[in-house]
Amino acid sequence: MAWLVGVLLVYGAVCGLLHAYQRSLIYMPDRRVAVPEDAGLPDFRVVTVTTADGLSIDGWFVPPREEGLPTIVLFHGNGGHLGYRADKARVFQKAGYGVFLAGYRGYGGNPGSPTEQGLYADARAALDWLVGQGISGQKLVIYGESLGTGVATQMATERKAAALVLEAPFTSLSDAAASHYPIFPVRLLLKDRFDSLSRIGNVGSPLLVIQGEKDRVVPTRLGKALFARANEPKTSVWLPQAGHNDLMAHGLAEKVVGFLSGLNRPQGTAPPTLDHQGPRRGTAIIPR
């Protein structure tokens, strides 16, 4: 009996620690100030947006090469800062698209600490800034990466867009966390849930879901369940040899550009072309 009581006490203590420090396990920012030039993106400029709760958040922006091409606003994963997405941004820019790397509070020198509602506020401020530049509706592609798929899905329920692209998405952060911590009641403990499954049915934009079949961070079954719940028109790509961080090395950019180039491309507009030099760095992930 004493042994059982000891085990229960330890279990309860671990649950308490998980609850108290959960956001440090979910969000893993690189807090150093980052600028486009240091990441090899000299054509991008820093754009500062103001959130509804008064924070000034830096993002990086480059306009499209041609008026007929949309701007991709990218909501990144849980780790690093905007510079970690430079390879992806560079490929989309060279394909002719505008690119807005949306910043988060607490990342890359931005003030504040990340939370689910905070990231939504940051995303809305970025999209509002783009509206001010005349970029919305069919001129906008909402793109989410890993944890950012939760942000992107929420934004796609609030804004009209030419497309929604979800890279390595989950049904909810609760489901993703439960797959890593099956013996703990994470669904009861989590404060930030990013419940995309309950929201995807409210998205009316064309959807692309792309994920690696060997993803050990977000189980592929979660991406497939989210895709099954989504409305048409929708397209899925399951890369058989890709994991979570190496999608660029397995053709992610080609699949995304191919999908986007088929969306109401104006007559006389040349199809985008890709830089085939390949990625030099990986992308950040949701918690391992």
Side-chain angles (χ1 to χ4, degrees), residues 66-136:
E66 300 175 7
E67 186 175 348
L69 291 174
T71 292
I72 300 169
V73 56
L74 191 152
F75 300 110
H76 66 74
N78 79 316
H81 55 52
L82 299 182
Y84 287 57
R85 282 81 195 173
D87 292 313
K88 195 175 297 179
R90 188 179 300 108
V91 170
F92 293 147
Q93 178 201 7
K94 290 190 175 182
Y97 295 104
V99 182
F100 190 104
L101 297 180
Y104 294 156
R105 60 191 62 202
Y107 287 74
N110 288 324
S113 298
T115 65
E116 179 179 3
Q117 294 304 319
L119 265 56
Y120 293 158
D122 301 341
R124 292 183 186 110
L127 293 173
D128 287 343
W129 184 87
L130 288 170
V131 169
Q133 308 303 304
I135 299 171
S136 62

Side-chain angles (χ1 to χ4, degrees), residues 43 107 241 262 270:
D43 296 331
Y107 287 74
Q241 300 302 316

Side-chain angles (χ1 to χ4, degrees), residues 144-156:
E145 166 200 294
S146 192
L147 183 76
T149 63
V151 180
T153 300
Q154 175 62 36
M155 294 304 103

Side-chain angles (χ1 to χ4, degrees), residues 1-284:
M1 180 63 70
W3 176 85
L4 178 60
V5 170
V7 169
L8 292 175
L9 287 174
V10 170
Y11 181 82
V14 173
C15 288
L17 289 171
L18 287 174
H19 183 265
Y21 295 101
Q22 59 183 271
R23 284 181 172 141
S24 66
L25 298 174
I26 295 171
Y27 306 104
M28 301 178 182
D30 186 333
R31 298 182 182 275
R32 293 174 295 178
V33 175
V35 294
E37 292 80 2
D38 291 345
L41 299 175
D43 296 331
F44 283 68
R45 64 185 176 98
V46 175
V47 169
T48 301
V49 302
T50 302
T51 66
D53 55 347
L55 295 183
S56 296
I57 304 296
D58 287 348
W60 300 354
F61 174 70
V62 67
R65 185 173 60 215
E66 300 175 7
E67 186 175 348
L69 291 174
T71 292
I72 300 169
V73 56
L74 191 152
F75 300 110
H76 66 74
N78 79 316
H81 55 52
L82 299 182
Y84 287 57
R85 282 81 195 173
D87 292 313
K88 195 175 297 179
R90 188 179 300 108
V91 170
F92 293 147
Q93 178 201 7
K94 290 190 175 182
Y97 295 104
V99 182
F100 190 104
L101 297 180
Y104 294 156
R105 60 191 62 202
Y107 287 74
N110 288 324
S113 298
T115 65
E116 179 179 3
Q117 294 304 319
L119 265 56
Y120 293 158
D122 301 341
R124 292 183 186 110
L127 293 173
D128 287 343
W129 184 87
L130 288 170
V131 169
Q133 308 303 304
I135 299 171
S136 62
Q138 292 303 306
K139 295 182 179 181
L140 175 70
V141 172
I142 298 175
Y143 189 123
E145 166 200 294
S146 192
L147 183 76
T149 63
V151 180
T153 300
Q154 175 62 36
M155 294 304 103
T157 68
E158 301 178 11
R159 311 288 178 114
K160 293 182 178 179
L164 171 64
V165 179
L166 300 178
E167 174 192 332
F170 45 71
T171 46
S172 69
L173 188 61
S174 303
D175 292 339
S179 71
H180 291 279
Y181 304 99
I183 68 170
F184 297 107
V186 294
R187 290 185 173 85
L188 297 176
L189 297 174
L190 275 182
K191 300 174 184 177
D192 297 344
R193 299 177 178 273
F194 294 97
D195 187 1
S196 295
L197 190 65
S198 69
R199 297 165 178 161
I200 195 70
N202 296 322
V203 175
S205 303
L207 171 68
L208 171 65
V209 168
I210 185 165
Q211 189 171 10
E213 292 278 11
K214 295 184 177 181
D215 193 330
R216 300 185 185 280
V217 177
V218 177
T220 309
R221 61 181 172 79
L222 300 184
K224 292 183 176 180
L226 185 70
F227 180 77
R229 181 73 65 88
N231 297 317
E232 296 285 356
K234 58 184 178 180
T235 301
S236 64
V237 176
W238 312 104
L239 299 171
Q241 300 302 316
H244 190 78
N245 294 319
D246 61 350
L247 294 171
M248 284 287 285
H250 292 275
L252 176 140
E254 288 84 354
K255 297 297 184 182
V256 172
V257 170
F259 170 76
L260 296 180
S261 66
L263 296 175
N264 301 319
R265 181 160 51 86
Q267 291 185 352
T269 302
T273 57
L274 286 175
D275 172 14
H276 289 282
Q277 293 178 354
R280 291 198 297 267
R281 287 185 291 194
T283 58

